[in-house]
């Protein structure tokens, strides 16, 4: 936002240098992105002169030979000039020999086409006052001859380009910045005084004009809590006064006419946008604040037609929309050269509504910029009265009735209690209580009550009343920041930082996700990152309709990001489709992230990892890998579960229910969020879904999700264990058990019996299943499981006799205790 220094001086008597003001704005919390100076530059040997005569150059058709009187600076000079307006009697700026103009252009006496020239008459761009080089800069008011440039031209201005942070909408105006600078420099703030205070004598002749505005209705009060309208008659449209034009030009706005310029001026002064209608262009002489109808159109002031929707707020007359509320007016209702009666609108609009409409239409303005960030509803009427004063001053006319005010100010009452001790503790150093109090008062933060605390040495406690324009202040810590802003962060005393080293572990989720990544990258998978919000149709494919309803957002930004994701797989399929369409060979993808699972009406947030394994498509290398299958997907899911400390073997496998994304009879589920706190899904993805998505080949996938509170920090620790340098002894064991007995239970029973059999003599290093047989030769309902056992000693090489003895003891123990039949 551009801030004019001359404008600021209307409200606060600043005598500080530009550098000091720039520093103050920066320390107050706003970034100054640039500083520009307008007006006459400090050029030496550039003075006022008057053209006495003009004659045609004897050797050039487009040049003139002029005599110019520069008064005490050098008398009458002969100067060759090529400008079209170097007529006799004009007073202009003359650069005499010795002058150095912008661009290091040095002026000296010279001959131009054989004619001597003792200087140069200047255009605006030649002296650095703009880009106009179409003719000489003609000086109004006939200043004194020989007067230096900086005395001949009006004083310039300094313009600060300030970045206003989103939490400070109160500073989107010159008054807001002036309020901050007044507090910094400890100067009084001078508010503009309104002459019109809203009182209209409708009984006086011409005091009421219901024929111009019969009614005002607000049909969407939730989006427009306050709407005011005043009728001003008998105005005369024309150029704005020079002072008003100068203010607008300084901050980058183009003057249009006195009424439009007043609206822009008041917006930049107070931060409150306004809009003026030509009263005679309002169909039916009424204003309706309503939602647009789908398909309605309006041509805005920029000349572009806009198609509206039912979510957009408009200001309409009896026939059609005339303004997109808070953003831009229509071209057919604005103030024109023939306007004599107008309606001045001043309103408060809901910021979310303005932001959504602005983004949907791709249309932004100075007005929408302010409404989107917030406008103080309690100063709206003051802004309207200020605009009325200026319109009456610059365009004439009178305020007539009826005046409309629909809605009311949003109730405002906010107080924060803060103590001197609290501020000192948060700052880490002491500021005198008197200085803290002065900081609050300088910022218009009124102290309504001051009390001594239980321990007087700790300083007083203040009850601070927060003004309506400081909606960003709602906690005691916010007041700590206000004190420090005015005290100056550069005054923080140096101190030794007392920061003892702390032993801390990484978050368990971070550790597990790192372990999952390491595992999958080691199996030639590529990591993806996809969006957490997904479309409704997709969510219903991968979860039940009831779950999809629970995962829906109350107010989604866009239609295709309306639900929290219940799985990571759809995003991976999108990435896979992109790879296949581009001919990229990355067909094994994974992602780690959060998913949201519905259970009994409750949304559970889980840490998850998922992968997709696609058949190689179009591979022409003879070194291609085997196609993925169900068991490969299961193996990866089991490994990922083991990395999180989940005991996969204790959870029976079952079909996947409530999701049509998996191929029936070729996929399985395990786990339960309510019990062990984790779930797993793996297998072949639904072939029809894969084809509909435009993917090629069969795709196997898996996902493992666990509730964060079930992650054990101990499970992440890896400790060093010594290993033996001596050879191992291997034995195979086959046992016959009931078909319903899980292999993992048998494995644990064997490991327990083996440890008992060997005692402390040596160790059972591992027990692994390598075969399952259910064919002929076995009783009905029985199966044979084969295990490989590894025995090893850390101190010596084992002999066959001691291993065989331990192995026989193991078999006897299994038969006696577990009841397993050992196959010979």
């Amino acid at each position: 936002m551009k801030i004019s220094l001359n404008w600021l001086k209307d409200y606060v008597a600043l005598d500080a240098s530009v550098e000091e003001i720039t520093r103050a704005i920066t320390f107050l919390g706003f970034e100054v992105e640039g500083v520009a100076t307008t007006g006459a530059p400090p050029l030496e040997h550039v003075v006022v002169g008057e053209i006495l005569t003009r004659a045609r150059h004897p050797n050039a058709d487009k040049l003139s030979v002029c005599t110019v009187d520069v008064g005490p600076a050098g008398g009458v000079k002969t100067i060759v000039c090529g400008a079209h307006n170097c007529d006799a009697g004009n007073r202009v700026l003359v650069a005499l020999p010795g002058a150095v103009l912008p661009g290091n252009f040095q002026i000296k006496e010279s001959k131009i086409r054989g004619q001597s020239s003792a200087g140069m008459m200047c255009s605006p761009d030649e002296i650095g006052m703009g880009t106009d080089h179409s003719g000489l800069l003609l000086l109004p008011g006939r200043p004194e001859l020989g007067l230096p440039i900086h005395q001949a031209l009006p004083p310039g201005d300094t313009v600060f380009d300030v970045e206003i942070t989103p939490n400070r909408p109160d500073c989107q105006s010159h008054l807001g910045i002036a309020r901050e600078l007044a507090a910094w420099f400890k100067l009084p703030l001078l508010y503009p005084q309104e002459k019109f205070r809203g009182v209209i004598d409708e009984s006086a002749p011409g005091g009421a004009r219901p024929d111009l505005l019969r009614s005002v209705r607000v049909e969407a009060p939730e989006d427009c809590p306050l709407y005011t309208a005043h009728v001003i008659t008998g105005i005369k449209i024309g150029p704005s006064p020079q002072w008003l034009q100068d203010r607008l030009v300084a901050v980058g706005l183009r003057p249009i006419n006195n009424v439009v310029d007043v609206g822009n001026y008041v917006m930049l002064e107070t931060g409150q946008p306004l809009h003026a209608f030509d009263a005679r262009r309002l169909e039916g002489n009424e204003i309706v604040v309503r939602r647009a109808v789908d398909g309605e159109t309006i041509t805005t002031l920029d000349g572009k037609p806009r198609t509206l929707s039912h979510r957009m707020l408009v200001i309409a007359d009896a026939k059609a929309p005339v303004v997109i509320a808070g953003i831009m007016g229509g071209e057919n209702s604005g103030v024109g050269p023939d306007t004599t009666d107008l309606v001045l609108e001043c309103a408060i609009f809901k910021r979310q509504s303005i932001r959504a409409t602005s983004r949907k239409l791709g249309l932004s303005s100075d007005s929408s910029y302010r409404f989107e960030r917030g406008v103080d509803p309690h100063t709206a009427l003051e802004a309207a009265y200020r605009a009325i004063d200026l319109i009456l001053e610059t365009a004439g006319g009178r305020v007539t009735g009826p005046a409309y005010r629909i809605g009311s100010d949003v109730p405002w009452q906010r107080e924060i209690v803060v103590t001197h001790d609290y501020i000192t503790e948060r700052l880490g150093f002491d500021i005198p209580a008197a200085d803290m109090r002065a900081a609050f008062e300088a910022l218009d933060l009124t102290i309504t009550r001051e009390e001594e605390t239980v321990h007087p040495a700790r300083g007083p406690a203040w009850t601070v009343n927060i003004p309506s324009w400081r909606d960003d202040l709602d906690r005691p810590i916010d007041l700590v920041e206000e004190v420090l802003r005015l005290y100056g962060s550069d005054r923080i005393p140096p101190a030794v930082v007392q920061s003892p080293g702390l032993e801390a572990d990484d978050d368990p989720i971070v550790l597990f996700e790192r372990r999952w990544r390491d595992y999958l990258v080691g199996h030639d998978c590529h990591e993806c990152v996809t969006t957490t919000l997904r479309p409704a149709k997709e969510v219903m494919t991968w979860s039940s309709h009831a779950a999809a309803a629970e995962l829906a957002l109350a107010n989604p930004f866009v239609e295709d990001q309306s639900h929290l994701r219940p799985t990571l797989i759809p995003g991976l399929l999108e990435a896979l489709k992109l790879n296949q369409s581009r001919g990229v060979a990355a067909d094994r993808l994974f992602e780690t992230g959060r998913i949201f699972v519905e259970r009994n009406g409750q949304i559970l947030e889980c840490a998850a990892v998922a992968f997709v394994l696609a058949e190689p498509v179009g591979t022409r290398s003879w070194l291609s890998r085997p196609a993925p299958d169900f068991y490969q997907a299961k193996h990866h899911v089991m490994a990922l579960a083991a990395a999180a400390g989940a005991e996969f073997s204790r959870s029976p496998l079952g079909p996947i229910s409530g999701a049509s994304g998996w191929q029936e009879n070729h996929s399985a589920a395990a786990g339960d969020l309510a019990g062990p706190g984790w779930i797993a899904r793996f297998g072949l993805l639904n072939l029809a879904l894969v084809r509909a998505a435009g993917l090629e080949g069969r795709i196997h996938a898996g996902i493992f999700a666990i509730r964060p509170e079930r992650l054990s920090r101990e499970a992440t620790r890896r400790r060093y264990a010594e290993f033996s340098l001596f050879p191992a002894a291997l034995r195979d064991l086959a046992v016959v058990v009931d078909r319903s007995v899980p292999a993992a239970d048998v494995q644990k029973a064997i490991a327990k019996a083996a440890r008992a059999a060997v005692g402390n003599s040596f160790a059972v290093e591992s027990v692994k299943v390598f075969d399952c047989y259910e064919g002929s030769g076995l009783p009905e309902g029985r199966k044979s499981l084969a295990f490989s056992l590894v025995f090893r000693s850390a101190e010596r090489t084992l002999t066959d006799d001691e291993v065989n003895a331990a192995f026989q003891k193991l078999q006897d123990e299994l038969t006696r205790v577990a009841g397993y039949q050992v196959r010979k």
Side-chain angles (χ1 to χ4, degrees):
M1 177 181 173
K2 289 181 168 53
I3 299 294
S4 160
L5 179 56
N6 287 345
W7 201 339
L8 288 175
K9 290 180 178 179
D10 286 352
Y11 318 117
V12 57
L14 291 171
D15 58 0
S17 67
V18 172
E19 291 74 17
E20 289 175 316
I21 295 173
T22 302
R23 179 177 180 275
I25 295 174
T26 302
F27 275 94
L28 284 166
F30 308 103
E31 180 182 359
V32 179
E33 296 184 332
V35 179
T37 301
T38 64
L43 299 175
E44 295 184 0
H45 306 297
V46 179
V47 299
V48 176
E50 181 177 345
I51 303 174
L52 301 178
T53 63
R54 175 182 180 180
R56 183 175 178 181
H57 195 292
N59 301 319
D61 293 338
K62 295 184 179 181
L63 297 179
S64 301
V65 179
C66 303
T67 57
V68 183
D69 186 2
V70 295
V76 177
K77 302 285 186 180
T78 300
I79 298 176
V80 177
C81 181
H84 66 87
N85 59 344
C86 56
D87 300 319
N90 287 340
R91 295 210 171 183
V92 297
L93 289 173
V94 181
L96 298 174
V100 180
L101 302 185
N104 199 31
F105 182 53
Q106 299 181 4
I107 303 299
K108 56 186 178 180
E109 291 191 22
S110 61
K111 285 191 175 183
I112 301 176
R113 293 289 186 97
Q115 181 67 46
S116 296
S117 181
M120 184 180 76
M121 292 181 283
C122 302
S123 64
D125 75 318
E126 289 168 335
I127 56 174
M129 293 185 61
T131 59
D132 182 11
H133 58 275
S134 60
L136 300 179
L137 175 62
L138 304 182
L139 302 177
R142 300 185 64 78
E144 181 183 345
L145 297 180
L147 204 63
I149 180 175
H150 64 276
Q151 296 180 25
L153 294 178
D157 196 359
T158 299
V159 179
F160 303 93
D161 191 354
V162 182
E163 179 67 27
I164 306 299
T165 53
N167 67 318
R168 292 301 305 275
D170 60 300
C171 289
Q172 297 174 146
S173 65
H174 281 74
L175 262 177
I177 295 296
R179 186 185 296 116
E180 295 283 303
L181 290 174
W184 179 270
F185 290 109
K186 299 179 175 60
L187 297 171
L189 181 66
L190 305 175
Y191 286 93
Q193 299 299 313
E194 299 92 15
K195 300 175 184 177
F196 176 76
R197 298 303 302 170
V199 179
I200 303 172
D201 185 5
E202 297 191 14
S203 64
R209 293 291 303 276
D211 57 308
L212 294 176
L213 187 60
R214 298 181 185 278
S215 68
V216 174
R217 301 196 316 274
V218 177
E219 297 179 355
E222 66 280 5
D223 289 336
C224 179
L226 177 65
Y227 189 90
T228 69
H230 292 84
V231 178
I232 306 176
T233 61
I235 66 168
K236 184 178 180 180
I237 300 299
S240 298
Q242 191 61 45
W243 68 267
L244 180 53
Q245 294 189 40
D246 291 342
R247 291 286 169 86
L248 297 180
V249 170
V251 296
L253 291 187
R254 177 175 60 89
I256 299 174
N257 60 52
N258 42 10
V259 171
V260 174
D261 292 351
V262 164
N264 287 332
Y265 180 89
V266 173
M267 177 185 68
L268 294 172
E269 179 183 63
T270 67
Q272 170 68 54
L274 303 103
H275 186 77
F277 303 91
D278 187 326
R280 299 187 182 276
R281 294 186 181 183
L282 292 174
E283 293 286 343
N285 302 117
E286 67 176 15
I287 289 177
V288 183
V289 184
R290 61 172 174 84
R291 296 287 184 89
V293 178
D294 284 332
E296 267 190 316
T297 60
I298 181 175
T299 301
T300 46
L301 288 172
D302 57 2
K304 296 181 180 180
R306 312 278 181 178
T307 301
L308 309 175
S309 74
H310 68 279
R311 293 186 176 182
M312 299 177 182
L313 189 70
V314 297
I315 314 299
D317 57 19
K319 185 177 179 180
V322 293
V323 175
I324 303 175
I327 301 178
M328 188 174 288
E331 64 177 3
N332 295 325
S333 66
V335 174
D338 57 346
T339 299
T340 58
D341 305 314
L342 62 84
V343 176
L344 181 66
E345 165 197 288
C346 183
I348 299 296
F349 300 113
K350 185 179 179 182
R351 66 179 71 181
Q352 294 88 342
S353 173
I354 302 301
R355 184 183 301 116
T357 301
S358 177
R359 291 185 178 179
K360 187 71 174 179
L361 295 177
L363 179 62
S364 182
S365 65
D366 289 334
S367 175
S368 67
Y369 175 85
R370 285 161 175 80
F371 277 124
E372 287 180 30
R373 286 156 180 78
V375 173
D376 181 13
H378 301 82
T379 59
L381 279 178
E382 283 75 7
Y385 298 160
R386 172 68 166 159
I388 290 172
D389 282 345
L390 293 175
I391 290 174
L392 298 181
E393 177 185 332
T394 61
R398 62 176 297 178
V399 183
T400 62
Y404 293 91
R405 178 176 176 175
I406 313 299
S408 61
D409 294 343
V410 179
W412 178 266
Q413 178 64 41
R414 181 181 296 172
E415 291 184 336
I416 301 175
V417 178
V418 67
T419 66
H420 174 270
D421 189 54
Y422 176 86
I423 297 175
T424 300
E425 286 182 356
R426 296 307 181 275
L427 291 178
F429 63 95
D430 184 42
I431 297 176
D435 291 350
M436 293 185 185
R437 184 185 180 100
F440 293 142
E441 294 173 345
L443 291 167
D444 283 348
L445 306 177
T446 307
I447 296 177
T448 59
R449 188 184 307 111
E450 180 173 337
E451 299 174 339
E452 291 296 330
T453 57
V454 177
H455 303 284
R458 296 185 176 180
W462 296 296
T463 300
V464 183
N465 184 56
I466 308 301
S468 59
W469 60 80
R470 290 304 305 271
D471 189 39
D472 59 307
L473 304 180
D474 59 2
R475 301 175 301 166
I477 193 66
D478 296 330
L479 297 183
V480 177
E481 181 182 356
E482 295 303 295
V483 170
L484 182 59
R485 284 199 311 128
L486 283 197
Y487 182 78
S489 56
D490 59 325
R491 297 173 62 190
I492 297 175
V496 177
V497 178
Q498 301 293 334
S499 179
L502 299 176
E503 181 180 355
D505 292 328
D506 288 340
D507 184 87
I509 295 178
V510 174
L511 295 173
F512 283 115
E513 288 184 347
R514 187 182 303 157
R515 186 175 296 182
W516 290 335
R517 289 190 189 99
D518 291 344
Y519 173 83
L520 290 168
V521 168
H523 285 79
D524 199 21
C525 293
H526 299 266
E527 185 174 7
C528 299
V529 178
T530 62
T531 58
T532 306
L533 302 178
R534 312 297 301 181
K537 184 177 179 181
E538 174 190 289
V539 172
M540 292 181 191
T541 300
W542 294 91
S543 62
S544 66
H545 285 258
E550 293 291 337
L551 295 172
L553 300 183
N555 186 26
F557 283 117
V558 290
E559 196 170 328
D560 61 349
Q561 294 183 9
S562 59
H563 287 65
L564 296 171
R565 62 184 177 187
T567 178
L568 300 173
I569 293 176
L572 295 175
L573 294 181
E574 288 181 355
L576 182 61
K577 180 182 178 181
L578 182 65
N579 288 348
Q580 289 187 351
S581 65
R582 300 293 190 273
V584 177
D587 51 14
R588 298 165 68 89
L589 308 177
F590 79 93
E591 180 178 7
T592 62
R594 302 299 181 93
I595 66 170
F596 304 86
V597 184
E598 185 273 338
R599 285 294 182 272
N600 302 321
Q602 181 183 7
I603 301 298
L604 302 178
E605 183 177 353
C606 301
V609 56
F611 59 85
V612 293
L613 310 175
E615 291 180 339
V617 176
T619 302
R620 304 185 66 180
S621 171
W622 62 275
L623 290 174
S624 59
R625 69 167 67 89
D629 56 18
F630 173 88
Y631 294 102
Q632 189 177 142
K634 178 184 177 182
H635 170 78
H636 290 320
V637 169
M638 291 179 67
L640 296 170
E647 296 189 34
F648 202 93
S649 60
R650 286 187 171 275
S651 179
L653 299 183
I656 299 176
S657 60
S660 58
W662 301 91
Q663 185 69 30
E664 190 176 358
N665 298 325
H666 291 267
S667 57
D672 184 6
L673 290 177
W678 60 267
I679 54 173
R681 306 283 187 268
F682 54 88
L684 180 67
L685 295 184
N686 187 291
L687 297 175
L689 180 144
V690 170
R691 299 296 177 270
L695 293 161
E696 301 180 36
R698 293 157 60 91
I699 300 174
H700 288 78
I703 181 170
F704 173 80
I706 186 169
R707 295 173 65 173
E709 63 270 19
R710 299 299 179 91
L711 289 171
S712 169
R713 191 178 296 274
E714 288 299 320
T716 67
R717 301 184 187 278
R718 296 185 179 182
R719 302 185 184 279
Y720 171 77
E722 292 187 6
F723 56 91
S724 173
L725 299 177
F726 297 95
L730 308 180
R731 296 291 186 271
D732 291 339
L733 175 67
V735 295
V736 177
V737 298
D738 191 87
R739 284 186 181 178
S740 62
V741 178
D745 290 351
V746 180
Q747 182 182 30
K748 290 181 180 179
I750 295 175
K752 182 179 179 181
R755 286 193 295 271
V758 300
N760 297 325
S761 301
F762 48 90
V764 182
E765 196 168 85
S766 67
V767 178
K768 295 182 180 179
V769 61
F770 68 87
D771 185 49
C772 178
Y773 176 70
E774 298 180 2
S776 60
L778 293 176
E780 184 69 23
R782 307 282 281 179
K783 64 181 177 183
S784 173
L785 297 173
F787 295 86
S788 173
L789 286 76
V790 177
F791 301 93
R792 194 191 304 268
S793 171
E795 301 171 348
R796 55 190 172 81
T797 300
L798 299 177
T799 64
D800 287 341
D801 290 341
E802 59 183 334
V803 172
N804 290 338
F807 187 59
Q808 183 60 49
K809 187 176 180 182
L810 162 64
Q811 298 178 61
D812 296 340
E813 187 74 9
L814 284 176
T815 303
R816 182 179 64 83
V817 176
Y820 296 157
Q821 177 186 347
V822 178
R823 298 184 66 187
K824 301 298 185 181

